[in-house]
Amino acid sequence: MGAVLCLSAAAAPGQPRAILLFVADDLGYHDTSAYGCEQQPCPNVQRLADQGLLFTDAHSTNSVCTPSRYSLLTGQYAWRQRGTGILPGDAALIIPTRDKAATLGTLMQQAGYRTAAIGKWHLGLGKGQIDWNQPISPAPADVGFDYSFIMAATGDRVPCVYVENGRVRNLDPQEPIRVNYTGLIYPGEKTASSHPELLKPWGRPSDRQHADTIIDGISRIGHMTGGTSALWKDQDISDDITAAGERFIAACAGKPLFLYFCTNDIHVPRDPHARFRGKSQLGIRGDVTLQMDDSLGRLMSALQKAGYTPQDTLIIFTSDNGPVISDGYEDGARIACANHKPAHPWRGGKYSLFEGGTRVPFIVCWPGRVQPGRSAALLCQMDIGRSLATLCGISIPDGSMRDSENQLPALLGTSPTGRTELVTQAFEAPRYALRCGHYKYIPDYGSRGRTDRLGRGEQLYNLDTDPGEEHNLAPRQPEKAAELRAMLQQITRDSRH
Ligand code: NG6
Ligand code: CA
């Protein structure tokens, strides 16, 4: 990975020496034992929950990945910027570069941490028309990450290669990579329709979008040719990125580090390593959840081995959006999870405006500093930026992190309350919901609402008495609905969508 130099010797007193922000992909509120799922013991997540503070009302800003991660890293609602929907694998970088705005990465650098982004990225790279055979710029280095080892987009999108510090890893220049999302099929390219016999049983597409280039026995979204020596093996992704995390931690050798680690699990395609296959009670989706837990455990061990004591180490564990069971492949998850409710007790899941779309697992573990327990504070991942900046005594440049609130007291468990309100968003813009206290408000999206089973008409729920968002109070409490409608309009008035 090249030399990793840690510039400053020690974190300031009161700051952790190591910060691990572990972001799972599509992991639901009820997908681990820590959140009460008896069928899915996850010993490492459980350890964090036992030793840390488990949040029951923490959210991503969006029920899909790209806008959720955009908010996490920039501290801004994604709807303030156009083009922040689910990105194809060849999209340009959507995060403003460091000369334009602070990110979580640049703030942590300013606070003296060596920073890394490892695993799923899905925030674009380069400026468009990307040439995968050349150094790619801008890249994570331009938004605050000293080291990066990333998957450009998702496991189900080409290119299926790792990009390390802006270069495709293990690329043979004799066999250049080409990628397109225009539908162009390359000469000799094998797709799900031309070569179905090449598909692994769990790599068969269940929709048209996932039926393009076959790589490692799984058809993907988008077309790719070349780069054979650089292709990942799906069963090794967890090990590959975890090993990159372990190397980064070891190279920091006890100096302050900030690791933004984004596991590919439990996103589709699900292709667990043989160590985990068949090991869970919940089929292939459960197996990759065990794999995710293992990756977390390995990073925790690597930190200890590198001399970061638990008291030195702040770990935040969360997921980028709510859960989905079947999402593009015939991988058997639907049958294996027939009795599993991954967002329980919330309604909806990935893609949804209901709570299950954005209410995600969120655990803060910092022994000695954060008392173990549970917190019902309303919190958003976007608040991590300003809260950590406050913890580290870093000032945030004007105009950056405008939606990020300092919620350090809630994060550290010294206050039981968090935000007063939060706007959440479902993947098709403009579609917003407002949380204000225990109320949830969803505007009337008319016929457009039906596409994600949102239903018609204005909706108002009291989550204290109705966590499943089943009893619409809007007709009975028109004044409350009107108040929240006005508040939502006020907050989202400069939406760029
Ligand atoms: C959707 C894909 C889905 C998944 C999602 C991104 C289709 C029909 N569905 O467009 O399979 O890849 O994008 O997931 O193509 S996310 O967690 O990165 O947001
Ligand atoms: Ca996701």
Side-chain angles (χ1 to χ4, degrees):
M1 73 193 251
V4 172
L5 293 171
C6 290
L7 301 177
S8 55
Q15 288 174 221
R17 259 196 307 145
I19 303 177
L20 168 60
L21 173 55
F22 188 101
V23 182
D25 199 349
D26 296 0
L27 185 78
Y29 188 88
H30 190 63
D31 268 326
T32 60
S33 52
Y35 280 84
C37 177
E38 286 172 8
Q39 296 141 289
Q40 190 71 54
C42 282
N44 295 301
V45 182
Q46 188 67 55
R47 190 144 52 105
L48 289 184
D50 293 344
Q51 298 173 3
L53 186 60
L54 179 145
F55 287 80
T56 56
D57 201 2
H59 292 255
S60 57
T61 59
N62 198 297
S63 58
V64 294
C65 165
T66 300
S68 153
R69 290 168 198 250
Y70 174 91
S71 293
L72 171 69
L73 292 185
T74 65
Q76 308 221 34
Y77 284 122
W79 41 260
R80 295 201 189 280
Q81 183 176 310
R82 278 205 190 88
T84 50
I86 298 173
L87 294 178
D90 61 352
L93 180 69
I94 57 168
I95 299 193
T97 47
R98 56 180 321 132
D99 46 312
K100 302 217 177 71
T103 68
L104 191 48
T106 63
L107 290 177
M108 297 319 293
Q109 286 176 329
Q110 213 181 313
Y113 291 83
R114 181 88 189 162
T115 61
I118 295 179
K120 178 172 175 174
W121 181 245
H122 210 186
L123 293 159
L125 287 169
K127 296 186 174 135
Q129 309 272 315
I130 201 165
D131 180 349
W132 298 94
N133 308 292
Q134 300 298 325
I136 299 165
S137 170
D142 302 287
V143 296
F145 293 101
D146 298 309
Y147 175 69
S148 59
F149 183 109
I150 56 170
M151 303 162 69
T154 57
D156 57 347
R157 285 173 174 76
V158 298
C160 299
V161 295
Y162 304 115
V163 181
E164 185 179 31
N165 290 335
R167 282 174 187 268
V168 171
R169 192 174 157 93
N170 295 335
L171 180 66
D172 174 357
Q174 301 305 312
E175 212 208 344
I177 293 176
R178 280 187 297 162
V179 166
N180 82 79
Y181 279 77
T182 62
L184 174 77
I185 298 183
Y186 296 111
E189 184 187 328
K190 298 178 171 78
T191 67
S193 35
S194 69
H195 290 73
E197 73 284 358
L198 294 180
L199 294 168
K200 297 176 185 174
W202 52 91
R204 280 177 285 127
S206 62
D207 59 37
R208 174 55 212 109
Q209 284 93 315
H210 290 84
D212 297 336
T213 310
I214 296 175
I215 288 164
D216 195 22
I218 299 169
S219 55
R220 318 278 167 162
I221 306 176
H223 299 274
M224 174 174 182
T225 182
T228 316
S229 57
L231 295 175
W232 69 51
K233 289 226 170 308
D234 289 74
Q235 293 178 7
D236 294 336
I237 292 175
S238 177
D239 285 340
D240 292 342
I241 61 179
T242 306
E246 290 169 333
R247 287 195 298 272
F248 173 75
I249 290 167
C252 284
K255 309 244 174 63
L257 74 83
F258 172 73
L259 172 54
Y260 170 56
F261 186 89
C262 299
T263 167
N264 170 56
D265 295 318
I266 58 172
H267 199 279
V268 296
R270 303 178 184 120
D271 193 2
H273 189 272
R275 303 201 300 287
F276 304 103
R277 178 161 278 280
K279 296 287 155 59
S280 82
Q281 300 168 47
L282 291 171
I284 202 164
R285 187 173 181 278
D287 296 347
V288 292
T289 308
L290 295 179
Q291 183 167 273
M292 172 216 71
D293 186 72
D294 173 76
S295 171
L296 171 65
R298 280 173 59 185
L299 295 175
M300 288 162 73
S301 303
L303 285 163
Q304 290 233 22
K305 227 163 96 193
Y308 302 90
T309 66
Q311 289 70 26
D312 277 340
T313 306
L314 165 62
I315 301 179
I316 302 177
F317 172 85
T318 190
S319 173
D320 67 341
N321 51 252
V324 59
I325 288 183
S326 195
D327 201 17
Y329 295 95
E330 306 282 1
D331 64 3
R334 207 187 286 283
I335 292 168
C337 294
N339 297 316
H340 173 51
K341 294 196 176 108
H344 176 78
W346 318 116
R347 180 173 172 182
K350 184 175 182 180
Y351 308 115
S352 169
L353 257 193
F354 293 113
E355 287 293 284
T358 59
R359 201 187 284 221
V360 286
F362 193 99
I363 303 172
V364 175
C365 185
W366 188 5
R369 192 64 196 274
V370 174
Q371 291 303 312
R374 285 168 93 86
S375 171
L378 176 62
L379 207 67
C380 181
Q381 292 170 344
M382 167 166 89
D383 302 329
I384 293 173
R386 194 168 292 271
S387 303
L388 289 186
T390 306
L391 177 71
C392 299
I394 296 301
S395 60
I396 295 178
D398 285 350
S400 290
M401 300 255 157
R402 64 183 278 198
D403 302 307
S404 180
E405 294 185 0
N406 172 24
Q407 290 293 346
L408 194 60
L411 266 178
L412 300 183
T414 54
S415 165
T417 54
R419 296 180 148 256
T420 48
E421 88 280 313
L422 175 70
V423 174
T424 58
Q425 194 186 8
F427 79 119
E428 271 178 82
R431 207 177 274 184
Y432 309 106
L434 178 70
R435 275 292 310 281
C436 185
H438 56 270
Y439 278 106
K440 169 78 169 276
Y441 171 79
I442 303 174
D444 179 6
Y445 284 114
S447 55
R448 283 179 299 155
R450 279 178 296 175
T451 58
D452 64 358
R453 294 192 212 100
L454 196 54
R456 300 186 89 149
E458 204 166 37
Q459 298 174 61
L460 178 70
Y461 298 102
N462 177 342
L463 298 171
D464 273 354
T465 55
D466 178 24
E469 295 171 270
E470 287 171 359
H471 306 289
N472 186 5
L473 301 175
R476 272 186 285 149
Q477 297 189 30
E479 278 162 23
K480 189 73 195 172
E483 177 198 326
L484 297 184
R485 185 192 319 131
M487 194 189 238
L488 179 60
Q489 275 165 1
Q490 167 73 14
I491 300 172
T492 57
R493 68 188 183 283
D494 65 345
S495 162
R496 295 279 180 278
H497 284 299

